[in-house]
Amino acid sequence: MNQILAGKSIVITGAARGIGEAIAQGLAAAGAAITIGDLDKKSAEAAADRICSTGGKAIGVSVNVTDRSAVVAMIKASCDAHGSLHGIVNNAGIAQTKIFTEITEQDWRRIMEVNSLGVLICMQEAAKVFIAQKNGGKILNVASIAGKQGFEPLAHYSASKFSVVAFTQAGAKAFGQHRINVNAICPGIVATKMWDDIGRGFREAGLAEKDEDAFNQYAEGILLGRSSTPEDLAGVSRFLMSSESDYMTGQALVVDGGIIFS
Ligand SMILES: NC(=O)c1ccc[n+]([C@@H]2O[C@H](COP(=O)([O-])OP(=O)(O)OC[C@H]3O[C@@H](n4cnc5c(N)ncnc54)[C@H](O)[C@@H]3O)[C@@H](O)[C@H]2O)c1
């Protein structure tokens, strides 16, 4: 593969599995040195080992993105291992299915804490490093089609993803003067473990008979005729982390095989 990220060092949160891991593998294949941050150190290290076993360069560290000191430590570990930081992919996230009238304050806080506050903290701490390095930087946030359109019964999840798009636009305005590009991707219906939670929630809410029904129903109308794999997000992430996209900022690109058009 074209080594468009050779010499670049990139941190990816929530990358021990799923979309984050596929993005990490895609960036590593293009030459980037990767730092995988995830809740569980062993899982993060195992994902890093999978990259190293195919000739890539990666380390795994534990991080809870809602904990600022842990985020600072993750970025420091990356700089210690790989030198200057060039980019961060803010991918860590959680989902919950609840019908609109039953979302509790606790549900709201839990989802917003990880999906919204976690992204804010990671953007802030990465931007501080980029500004100190005086060499620009790339921030890529993983939002969702639920950040472009409110999905019921995922209202609080949708709100958290709208906030990720808002941080992307506001961050582009805050950091453009420092040559820091801030963009987002909005995946569609991606086959990952996250759908275990979403699908179970649909069944428990009486909206589906089986856990897999919700995924299959959402996937039915996709123009390209199939649901997404995590690997479908790798190419666009490579582009947004490379110099090929240096004149793009503040954008939230929908990568959903054709579900919504905005
Ligand atoms: N799967 C989909 O259909 C889909 C669609 C659109 C957007 N997304 C978004 O893509 C991102 C990745 O989702 P996925 O489907 O790969 O999910 P996943 O559940 O398979 O993976 C999420 C990863 O994030 C980690 N994580 C969770 N909370 C964390 C925290 N506080 N700190 C650090 N790591 C944490 C988990 O340990 C896990 O490894 C999420 O932000 C999700 O909202 C997913």
Side-chain angles (χ1 to χ4, degrees):
M1 181 178 289
N2 189 344
Q3 297 292 291
I4 52 172
L5 296 174
K8 305 291 184 192
S9 162
I10 300 174
V11 170
I12 308 168
T13 66
R17 69 182 195 205
I19 293 171
E21 182 174 13
I23 291 174
Q25 289 176 347
L27 300 179
I34 301 295
T35 298
I36 288 180
D38 209 296
L39 285 174
D40 173 49
K41 188 160 192 254
K42 277 205 175 118
S43 310
E45 285 175 344
D49 286 348
R50 290 192 282 278
I51 289 175
C52 296
S53 70
T54 56
K57 199 171 174 191
I59 60 165
V61 300
S62 72
V63 72
N64 182 337
V65 293
T66 68
D67 175 350
R68 189 178 294 277
S69 60
V71 170
V72 170
M74 168 183 68
I75 293 173
K76 183 176 182 308
S78 170
C79 293
D80 290 347
H82 304 311
S84 302
L85 183 71
H86 296 95
I88 187 164
V89 182
N90 298 316
N91 164 80
I94 57 173
Q96 184 191 32
T97 312
K98 272 272 183 97
I99 63 171
F100 201 106
T101 49
E102 290 182 5
I103 297 165
T104 65
E105 288 83 340
Q106 201 185 350
D107 294 332
W108 163 267
R109 289 194 186 100
R110 192 174 73 88
I111 293 285
M112 291 302 285
E113 178 123 351
V114 177
N115 294 3
S116 183
L117 179 62
V119 168
L120 175 66
I121 290 173
C122 288
M123 288 178 70
Q124 290 172 322
E125 295 307 326
K128 286 180 199 168
V129 173
F130 294 145
I131 291 167
Q133 290 175 171
K134 295 187 168 51
N135 196 27
K138 300 270 184 188
I139 297 175
L140 176 59
N141 295 327
V142 179
S144 170
I145 52 171
K148 294 276 187 171
Q149 184 175 300
F151 282 76
E152 206 278 336
L154 292 155
H156 52 334
Y157 176 77
S158 299
S160 74
K161 292 300 185 176
F162 268 73
S163 87
V164 172
V165 174
F167 285 142
T168 302
Q169 294 176 349
K173 290 179 181 173
F175 305 134
Q177 61 187 306
H178 300 289
R179 288 186 297 116
I180 299 169
N181 306 79
V182 187
N183 292 293
I185 53 171
C186 299
I189 310 300
V190 193
T192 68
K193 282 198 184 334
M194 181 170 273
W195 274 91
D196 295 354
D197 293 335
I198 298 174
R200 191 180 56 253
F202 268 78
R203 182 180 49 72
E204 286 172 356
L207 299 167
E209 273 180 30
K210 291 185 280 188
D211 284 13
E212 59 271 30
D213 288 353
F215 184 89
N216 292 334
Q217 279 160 18
Y218 274 117
E220 255 171 26
I222 296 174
L223 297 184
L224 293 180
R226 64 169 178 86
S227 58
S228 178
T229 65
E231 290 71 27
D232 289 322
L233 286 316
V236 68
S237 302
R238 230 171 359 244
F239 166 67
L240 288 171
M241 296 310 280
S242 79
S243 59
E244 301 286 309
S245 58
D246 276 354
Y247 202 60
M248 279 180 68
T249 199
Q251 303 306 305
L253 300 185
V254 175
V255 188
D256 67 354
I259 301 175
I260 59 172
F261 303 107
S262 56

